[in-house]
Amino acid sequence: MLLDFSLEELNNYVSDLGLPKFRAKQIFDALYMAKTLEEITNLPKDLKENLSKDYPKWEILKILESKDGTKKMALKLQDGSIVESVLLKYKYGYTVCVSTQVGCRMGCKFCASTIGGLKRNLSAGEILLQVLIYNKILGGTIKDRKVTNVVLMGCGEPLDNYENVTKFLTLISSPDGINISQRNISLSTCGLVPNIRRLADDGFNVTLTISLHAPNDEIRKKTMPIANVYKIKDILSACDYYFEKTGRRVIFEYSLIDGVNASEENMLELSKVLKGRSCHVNLIPLNSVKEKNLMGIERKRAYYLCGILEKNGISATVRRTMGEDIEGACGQLRNKLGGAV
Ligand code: SAH
């Protein structure tokens, strides 16, 4: 698929077809403007026919808009797979939350994305497409880009799709394309330790976000099967390694689940575990997922728990929840048409 290619790879593709080089730039621009093949007007018809087997095809099935302005899009890909992506409006700009897999195989008990397991990995271009479509919807172009930030926090586990996700990071931060700096990109992972280290070794410097959700391995195992594979201790040392290599402060996500991980004692233990690290904790009262019978806690209590972390020297905030009414909030994305209609 042509969106998987860098400009250089597209140059080679075009020259293999025996075409002049300027055609590559025309195709590249059309791709990055999220034009469908039909919408391209500056290419000859026979060339368009030639391209049709490799040019991406998609269909926007639905865009829901939340009361708070958050948008959620259901996007149908060439093979019929459906992925959801979210657009969040902040004071400083627009953030796109992309999916990296169709479904997910991590099996976290509180997350809608895992229902039905993993269908397949998304390619680099399919992840990129989600950002480019929102940029188009916002009236942005390649040079006058409207999307300012990207978070890899939709469906899927980014580090379980390492090759495609890192290719995506390279493409989206390339000056040839829409050039979003890695400083403005956050990658969230449930903690696949070897790939955290690999990301640092491969020279990436996105903001690393760890879905921790527990102060110890026993509690973590209750909701996150991956806790049977990697210990918190090992995740933290991989985070230290990432920090050493990149200088980027690591963020820990902690979804507060009533009766599981949201006691005062849990916060004290978490403070001890994270003490002395250059990090930040985001507390999120669990968002409801109708198939799951875990409950969140009241925001007021979340602020109280946040205070305990701060008193113990841990930088922490309670994250604003956005798009919950359209099932566009954390853990609510899935690989079918979801959400209030
Ligand atoms: N697989 C990656 C990327 C998903 S990001 C990861 O685990 O980090 C989505 C974030 O929302 C993760 O931190 C995830 O743990 C969290 N989450 C999942 N379900 C949730 C829910 N019901 N309420 C609040 N947060 C949830």
Side-chain angles (χ1 to χ4, degrees), residues 84-297:
E84 293 191 326
S85 348
V86 175
L87 180 73
L88 303 129
K89 186 175 189 307
Y90 292 101
K91 275 196 219 79
Y92 53 79
Y94 288 96
T95 296
V96 174
C97 173
V98 293
S99 290
T100 54
Q101 295 179 313
V102 184
C104 183
R105 64 187 181 117
M106 295 299 126
C108 299
K109 293 223 164 64
F110 41 77
C111 184
S113 303
T114 67
I115 297 169
L118 176 67
K119 300 272 163 43
R120 72 167 172 88
N121 283 331
L122 292 183
S123 76
E126 288 173 326
I127 306 171
L128 182 58
L129 179 65
Q130 301 168 51
V131 180
L132 298 176
I133 290 177
Y134 273 125
N135 192 46
K136 179 184 185 183
I137 288 173
L138 290 169
T141 58
I142 303 173
K143 292 291 164 249
D144 181 22
R145 164 167 59 72
K146 298 287 188 246
V147 174
T148 50
N149 299 67
V150 172
V151 296
L152 287 78
M153 297 190 184
C155 266
E157 166 49 51
L159 295 186
D160 188 35
N161 181 15
Y162 188 86
E163 302 293 339
N164 292 317
V165 162
T166 47
K167 177 87 193 266
F168 159 73
L169 295 176
T170 303
L171 290 176
I172 198 162
S173 57
S174 159
D176 291 330
I178 59 168
N179 198 4
I180 300 185
S181 154
Q182 289 189 28
R183 301 197 141 264
N184 296 330
I185 301 176
S186 295
L187 183 151
S188 182
T189 175
C190 61
L192 304 188
V193 168
N195 282 350
I196 294 175
R197 292 177 177 272
R198 192 169 161 203
L199 196 64
D201 287 338
D202 288 345
F204 292 96
N205 64 347
V206 294
T207 302
L208 182 66
T209 303
I210 304 289
S211 296
L212 192 63
H213 306 323
N216 62 50
D217 292 320
E218 266 46 68
I219 297 182
R220 201 164 192 256
K221 281 178 194 167
K222 288 186 188 163
T223 56
M224 300 181 74
I226 196 68
N228 294 302
V229 184
Y230 300 112
K231 294 195 171 66
I232 291 181
K233 180 167 85 36
D234 298 330
I235 295 176
L236 294 179
S237 76
C239 288
D240 291 345
Y241 185 72
Y242 193 83
F243 178 69
E244 272 165 38
K245 286 258 172 179
T246 63
R248 309 302 313 278
R249 182 172 79 152
V250 175
I251 306 220
F252 294 99
E253 306 278 30
Y254 194 110
S255 299
L256 295 159
I257 312 172
D258 194 29
V260 177
N261 65 358
S263 70
E264 295 174 20
E265 195 195 329
N266 296 150
M267 293 302 113
L268 289 173
E269 188 176 359
L270 183 64
S271 314
K272 285 210 189 90
V273 170
L274 297 181
K275 190 118 219 154
R277 299 204 128 68
S278 179
C279 69
H280 181 81
V281 176
N282 260 328
L283 294 174
I284 317 157
L286 193 81
N287 295 312
S288 65
V289 172
K290 51 182 176 292
E291 293 88 341
K292 313 271 176 182
N293 52 11
L294 297 167
M295 303 280 286
I297 62 163

